[in-house]
Amino acid sequence: MKNNALQTIAAKALPALSGESITYNAAKNVFLTLGYTSAAGNMYYKAVRLSNRLVVYYELGQGYIHTFLNGIKLFAWDGQKAQLIAQKYWGGDNWRKFDEYFAKEQSILMLKGFLEGQLRLQGAHVSDQELACFARSMVEETQRKQLA
């Protein structure tokens, strides 16, 4: 998919980015929104990774010393629109220094939790290991390079 086509889809289809100006950072393989600076001098912005089925949306802050993770949202993607399926927030005294591994693992746990709920609703059963492996593969799919 061409760079501008994927950016157009991301900008129009994701509620989290509605009205945002986004750019693609090829080195980090992530879409970034324009940020804003708080009165305390911290910069806040969103970082988004997507596949054809899942969108992982990080709410980040850039302080004087650290980049910190304020939250993660997961959206299910059906090709037409995105639907929020999970979210988790940190902040205040519970803030987290951004770490790619931690953010990925939290995303996997969040997706696994959502899928467990869907299985319960359908009365289906899948082993915990199989479910964790599937959630991991879906999150890792969003981390694969999408653009040349």
Side-chain angles (χ1 to χ4, degrees), residues 52 73 79 135:
N52 62 347
K73 291 181 182 177

Side-chain angles (χ1 to χ4, degrees), residues 28-45:
K28 301 252 184 203
N29 188 36
V30 68
F31 288 95
L32 299 170
T33 65
L34 290 178
Y36 70 91
T37 304
S38 70
N42 295 327
M43 174 83 136
Y44 295 92
Y45 59 99

